[in-house]
Amino acid sequence: MMLLVTLANLCGALGFGANLVTYFFKYEIPADFIGGGLIGALGLTTIYFAMTALPSFIGMVFADKLKKWLGSYVNVLILIQVVNIIVRVIAYFVGYEGKKLWIAMILIGIGSIPSGALSIAQTSIFCDSIDYMEWKTGKRTEGITFSMQTSFTKISSGITAGLATMALSILGYKAIDDAAVYVGTQTAAFDKWMWPLVILTPAIASVLFIIPLLFINYTKEQRAIVESDLKARRLGEKESGLSPYAAEIDCY
């Protein structure tokens, strides 16, 4: 379970579009889009991340209810990715010309509501993994598990940043700091591909994120057996006999 969730996160790192948002606002959105140019690309980026990140707190509050509704935190993770795919595809076709940008941002904000449950769901699955490994092998691996989680979070960030930088290079991006108007100063490839990259790469990453999760098969019944056996093991009582570790110990 730990390895599959980690692999899913590495797949999610391929959605590097969020790292291109500021470039998109600076070079594709007119400076007078808001307040006669008083709010530039950085300000519009802040508004975007506020609109798309703050709603996730709702999902954080209702994480446990989502689990009860869907049956497991694995299904919660899948739901988060499915919602992200749907809203981003719709937002892509809505476009960003004129006031359509607001509609696209609102759609992505709505889609980010379930994402607040992401870290809660993953941590719960990691805890299940720790219990399962102890049940199966007799070794409890909190340190390895959570240090691995931290390491792969950093690796994922590096992959995302690296892909974004490579995309800018391929599109022929050149930094322009002193222009009065930024729209139209980049290459034709930049203008053509920036919107799809910003909106759709996270959706593609969500599709890839789901694939490893489909191989996690840890039912409520299995979890109940693991928890019951671990409790019995710590109390020195008889276990169910289904654990390979318990069976090996009984042989001696």
Side-chain angles (χ1 to χ4, degrees):
M1 285 183 286
M2 178 188 69
L3 293 176
L4 288 170
V5 173
T6 299
L7 178 59
N9 278 291
L10 289 176
C11 292
L14 301 178
F16 58 89
N19 288 45
L20 300 175
V21 168
T22 301
Y23 299 94
F24 170 75
F25 286 137
K26 184 174 182 179
Y27 296 104
E28 301 299 323
I29 304 301
D32 60 353
F33 181 75
I34 300 178
L38 295 177
I39 298 180
L42 185 58
L44 195 53
T45 301
T46 303
I47 294 173
Y48 170 82
F49 281 116
M51 290 179 65
T52 57
L54 291 178
S56 65
F57 285 102
I58 300 174
M60 190 179 298
V61 172
F62 292 100
D64 192 51
K65 291 186 177 180
L66 283 174
K67 178 194 174 186
K68 291 179 180 178
W69 177 46
L70 296 170
S72 71
Y73 273 127
V74 173
N75 290 336
V76 172
L77 290 180
I78 293 175
L79 173 69
I80 291 169
Q81 305 307 322
V82 169
V83 171
N84 186 54
I85 294 166
I86 293 172
V87 298
R88 284 186 173 274
V89 170
I90 295 173
Y92 171 74
F93 286 107
V94 167
Y96 64 91
E97 297 83 3
K99 302 305 179 183
K100 289 181 180 180
L101 180 61
W102 291 117
I103 300 175
M105 290 168 64
I106 291 171
L107 283 170
I108 297 173
I110 293 172
S112 70
I113 291 175
S115 67
L118 182 70
S119 60
I120 296 173
Q122 289 191 151
T123 301
S124 178
I125 294 171
F126 278 127
C127 290
D128 285 342
S129 174
I130 292 168
D131 285 344
Y132 179 74
M133 288 301 294
E134 182 184 6
W135 176 79
K136 187 175 181 179
T137 67
K139 297 178 181 179
R140 194 163 180 86
T141 57
E142 290 101 332
I144 294 174
T145 299
F146 289 107
S147 63
M148 184 175 179
Q149 183 183 16
T150 302
S151 297
F152 275 94
T153 297
K154 295 178 180 178
I155 292 172
S156 297
S157 298
I159 292 172
T160 302
L163 288 174
T165 302
M166 184 171 66
L168 290 173
S169 177
I170 292 173
L171 296 177
Y173 165 75
K174 293 181 180 180
I176 299 173
D177 297 322
D178 301 324
V181 177
Y182 292 99
V183 176
T185 59
Q186 293 296 326
T187 64
F190 184 98
D191 294 336
K192 177 181 179 180
W193 288 103
M194 190 53 57
W195 176 245
L197 289 175
V198 167
I199 297 298
L200 293 182
T201 54
I204 295 170
S206 287
V207 174
L208 298 175
F209 190 104
I210 291 173
I211 295 173
L213 299 180
L214 299 177
F215 292 91
I216 297 178
N217 184 25
Y218 192 60
T219 65
K220 291 181 180 179
E221 293 74 19
Q222 287 175 312
R223 182 177 182 180
I225 291 171
V226 168
E227 291 178 349
S228 176
D229 279 356
L230 288 180
K231 182 178 180 181
R233 187 178 299 175
R234 294 185 180 104
L235 294 174
E237 299 174 354
K238 186 174 178 60
E239 300 180 30
S240 66
L242 298 174
S243 165
Y245 174 74
E248 182 181 348
I249 295 300
D250 288 342
C251 289
Y252 297 98

